[in-house]
Amino acid sequence: MKRIVALFSTALICLGLSAKGETVLNLIPYPQSVQLGKGSFKVAGVTFNGDPALDSRSREVISQFASRIELVSGKTNSVAFPAGLDAVVAKGKAKGFLFMLDKSLGEEAYTIEITPSKAMVKASAFPGFFYAIQTLYQLLPVQIYGKHPVSEVSWRIPAIIIRDEPRFRHRGFMVDSGRHFFSVDEIKKVIDMMAIYKMNRLHWHLTEDQGWRFESKKYPRLTEIGAFRNGTMIGKDNTTNDGIRYGGYYTQDELRDVVAYAEKKNITIIPEIDLPGHMQAALAAYPNLGCTGGPYEVSTTWGIKKEVLCAGKEATFTFLEDILTELTDIFPSEYIHIGGDECPRQRWKECPDCQQRIAELGIKSDDKHSAEDYLQNYVTARIQAFLNSKGRKIIGWDEILEGKLAEGATVMSWRGVKGGLKAAQMGYDVIMSPNTYMYFDYYQSADKDKEPLAIGHCLPLEKVYSYEPYTDLPAEACPHILGVQANLWTEFIGTNDYLEYMMLPRAAALSEVQWSPAAAKDWESFRVRIKAAPAVYAILGYNFRPLDF
């Protein structure tokens, strides 16, 4: 795919005009409360003072912001965290940038009050300060994202009062590295863009039938064999194969590096080891874990595969517990995603070990589910109990609702919205990720001939923006909706440029669904505000789909 290149005027600033002629701030996601004042605050060459009680991460992000302003403006900014700053502020004598602790605010909340003489930022913790600074970036000319001095720009922020906090606690984005492998640098670019849009959860899909990407010290064949396939189907014809060996994996050191990088941007990485289906790459490495004993190969085609982990063998659970132990040593996230989707049970019906397990457990079929369905419930519950013993919780795709689901599991609703609505009303926590609104592997236009190859369907920017997670949900069940997530599956997305093209600008619309209160969402306003985004993408070196308006 050719990189989309555009030239943008250096005169672009943070203000636009709506169709009604109203002033619109190019803020995405839009804050809870915005009050525009008179005048502006000059940011170049001013002092940056912070509360001496600020933690190291807050100090670091403030210093980085000051350094960026110094770089692009060419004017020196001083940074200090002096004792007694609160007394100076209380007397109204402080000027310049001021970053003060306010423990009355929520962890991710912040306030900004800008006058011609000072810019006051308040938060209770690092997340709030980090998000306040992302907003300050957007209040400045887009050249703030650059790495070179720009003298012809007026480095000012409009006088304004902003009070802000997120609508949802889980604001996620998923990258599928299983079907196609993306470098550490590209994953970090995804994290950078998530941070701009105030997302806080990267769901990292690390295993698939087509490739195992997580280095295991205990099971080295997972990457020696499972991380590479002997070709990839061409287009959508699963009878073809390009014959080119393809693959890659992340070392444990690389994974730890990405975790630390994300943490500096208030992003938690939730890893996914998909089980008991989508495991053909693992079976190619360790065929004893399957029902038939193989031989298996890392899949070269997409789609649902009938070869799954054997639920009747204790070796399967030893393997899973060993892998998850390694995983939890690397990823400190509260949640571990265990997949649970698209697991055919044909092999289990034919497998003596699985049938013996069913008999030992006393599992019976009923009018709604087969014994094999309930066997998957057993797998889910056993892995859930193991992860709970390590202080972790599970997330699973909405198939884990089929049959019986143990208390404490979180459901990720992907097959439309029905599964999520049902789970929330049953008392389970839910992350809404419906394919109808949140699958970024779908085409961005109905004119598919002018778009790069995608899995199908059409999900334009406006439809992403239109999603409302509480629709058709009783008020008492709404607290169980932890948040919203978009998923970028990569069957047909094999390059960094392609990944970014499918992410942008739809990530901007996603962020407003996740962060902004429903009453603050307005498509016509968003259409104005998003027009500044391509300039930011270009400055930062991202590929993106051009706006249609």
Side-chain angles (χ1 to χ4, degrees):
M1 180 188 301
K2 294 182 179 178
R3 178 169 292 277
I4 301 167
V5 180
L7 298 176
F8 298 91
S9 166
T10 56
L12 281 171
I13 57 173
C14 68
L15 301 176
L17 292 177
S18 72
K20 299 177 182 179
E22 301 166 330
T23 299
V24 176
L25 293 159
N26 293 330
L27 298 176
I28 298 174
Y30 206 71
Q32 292 268 356
S33 171
V34 177
Q35 182 180 344
L36 196 61
K38 295 182 179 180
S40 61
F41 171 69
K42 182 180 179 181
V43 303
V46 301
T47 58
F48 281 69
N49 286 319
D51 195 313
L54 290 178
D55 68 342
S56 60
R57 287 199 297 167
S58 298
R59 291 183 179 219
E60 182 179 4
V61 73
I62 291 166
S63 298
Q64 288 172 346
F65 181 52
S67 296
R68 177 54 63 94
I69 291 177
E70 185 172 303
L71 174 65
V72 296
S73 71
K75 301 292 182 65
T76 301
N77 294 314
S78 62
V79 182
F81 301 90
L85 179 61
D86 53 346
V88 177
V89 170
K91 293 178 181 179
K93 296 182 178 181
K95 295 183 179 181
F97 275 104
L98 303 164
F99 294 85
M100 303 301 295
L101 282 171
D102 184 345
K103 292 299 184 180
S104 70
L105 297 172
E107 185 182 50
E108 294 188 304
Y110 67 90
T111 64
I112 297 173
E113 185 172 353
I114 297 174
T115 69
S117 63
K118 69 177 183 298
M120 175 76 75
V121 177
K122 293 182 180 180
S124 66
F126 165 73
F129 286 113
F130 183 83
Y131 293 138
I133 286 173
Q134 302 314 305
T135 298
L136 290 170
Y137 267 97
Q138 292 188 9
L139 286 169
L140 285 160
V142 294
Q143 291 83 356
I144 187 64
Y145 292 98
K147 296 181 179 180
H148 306 286
V150 184
S151 59
E152 62 268 30
V153 166
S154 177
W155 291 105
R156 291 180 173 273
I157 298 178
I160 198 170
I161 297 175
I162 293 175
R163 304 184 188 283
D164 200 14
E165 63 181 342
R167 183 184 186 192
F168 293 109
R169 57 180 275 200
H170 181 108
R171 303 181 301 281
F173 190 80
M174 188 217 73
V175 174
D176 169 19
S177 287
R179 292 176 175 89
H180 277 102
F181 178 77
F182 298 93
S183 69
V184 165
D185 287 344
E186 178 61 15
I187 297 300
K188 288 181 177 180
K189 282 189 73 177
V190 170
I191 290 169
D192 290 343
M193 186 54 61
M194 290 175 63
I196 288 174
Y197 288 133
K198 300 184 174 73
M199 300 179 198
N200 66 351
R201 298 290 186 270
L202 173 63
H203 171 184
W204 202 355
H205 189 79
L206 290 169
T207 63
E208 258 307 331
D209 294 308
Q210 297 81 17
W212 183 283
R213 312 299 179 205
F214 169 71
E215 180 193 31
S216 168
K217 303 292 189 181
K218 195 160 188 177
Y219 297 88
R221 288 167 61 87
L222 287 172
T223 47
E224 292 170 2
I225 295 174
F228 299 91
R229 61 177 179 260
N230 293 319
T232 303
M233 63 184 276
I234 300 171
K236 294 189 176 182
D237 184 356
N238 63 8
T239 66
T240 63
N241 188 313
D242 62 13
I244 301 171
R245 183 169 167 80
Y246 177 89
Y249 64 91
Y250 307 102
T251 68
Q252 293 196 4
D253 286 343
E254 287 174 327
L255 294 169
R256 288 189 173 91
D257 174 59
V258 177
V259 167
Y261 185 86
E263 184 181 34
K264 291 182 178 180
K265 298 175 184 291
N266 198 47
I267 292 174
T268 298
I269 298 180
I270 298 175
E272 179 183 356
I273 301 295
D274 203 349
L275 64 98
H278 291 280
M279 274 280 178
Q280 194 162 310
L283 294 177
Y286 294 94
N288 63 301
L289 299 176
C291 290
T292 69
Y296 308 101
E297 67 171 356
V298 181
S299 180
T300 60
T301 60
W302 317 128
I304 300 172
K305 309 302 177 185
K306 66 180 179 180
E307 305 299 348
V308 302
L309 292 176
C310 178
K313 295 176 180 176
E314 275 303 302
T316 295
F317 294 95
T318 300
F319 167 76
L320 290 175
E321 290 178 2
D322 288 342
I323 289 297
L324 291 170
T325 296
E326 289 188 273
L327 196 78
T328 53
D329 285 344
I330 295 169
F331 294 93
S333 55
E334 177 184 9
Y335 292 94
I336 301 295
H337 204 302
I338 64 167
D341 63 316
E342 299 176 333
C343 179
R345 301 172 184 111
Q346 176 183 342
R347 291 299 192 200
W348 292 356
K349 291 181 180 179
E350 303 165 349
C351 173
D353 292 315
C354 290
Q355 292 303 310
Q356 182 178 346
R357 175 83 70 181
I358 287 171
E360 290 173 350
L361 294 172
I363 294 175
K364 304 292 183 182
S365 299
D366 57 32
D367 293 340
K368 294 183 178 180
H369 299 286
S370 69
E372 290 74 26
D373 292 340
Y374 289 120
L375 182 60
Q376 182 166 347
N377 295 155
Y378 166 77
V379 174
T380 300
R382 185 163 169 179
I383 296 304
Q384 180 180 353
F386 174 75
L387 286 170
N388 289 166
S389 73
K390 290 184 166 296
R392 309 301 181 91
K393 301 176 182 178
I394 68 161
I395 300 173
W397 300 109
D398 57 48
E399 283 95 331
I400 66 174
L401 276 173
E402 297 171 359
K404 299 176 182 178
L405 181 61
E407 183 179 350
T410 295
V411 175
M412 184 166 281
S413 180
W414 74 274
R415 296 178 295 179
V417 302
K418 290 183 179 179
L421 299 180
K422 175 184 176 182
Q425 292 178 75
M426 292 171 65
Y428 293 103
D429 286 343
V430 176
I431 298 163
M432 298 301 290
S433 188
N435 58 349
T436 44
Y437 293 93
M438 293 291 148
Y439 266 41
F440 283 14
D441 53 333
Y442 288 3
Y443 287 100
Q444 298 187 67
S445 167
D447 192 356
K448 297 177 182 178
D449 290 341
K450 295 183 179 179
E451 294 289 329
L453 183 65
I455 200 164
H457 307 288
C458 177
L459 184 62
L461 187 68
E462 184 173 3
K463 187 168 184 180
V464 176
Y465 191 84
S466 71
Y467 180 52
E468 171 46 51
Y470 288 162
T471 299
D472 297 328
L473 191 64
E476 62 271 18
C478 289
H480 284 294
I481 304 297
L482 301 184
V484 179
Q485 177 174 299
N487 298 330
L488 187 41
W489 301 105
T490 61
E491 282 92 338
F492 303 103
I493 301 169
T495 67
N496 293 348
D497 276 3
Y498 199 169
L499 188 81
E500 293 168 10
Y501 180 93
M502 300 301 276
M503 180 181 186
L504 300 171
R506 289 188 289 193
L510 165 67
S511 74
E512 205 136 300
V513 175
Q514 296 170 326
W515 181 281
S516 303
K521 286 180 60 188
D522 182 284
W523 170 248
E524 293 306 319
S525 167
F526 180 81
R527 277 167 55 96
V528 175
R529 290 180 281 119
I530 192 64
K531 290 178 181 178
V536 176
Y537 302 155
I539 289 170
L540 292 173
Y542 288 86
N543 194 31
F544 58 94
R545 186 183 188 277
L547 297 171
D548 289 326
F549 45 84

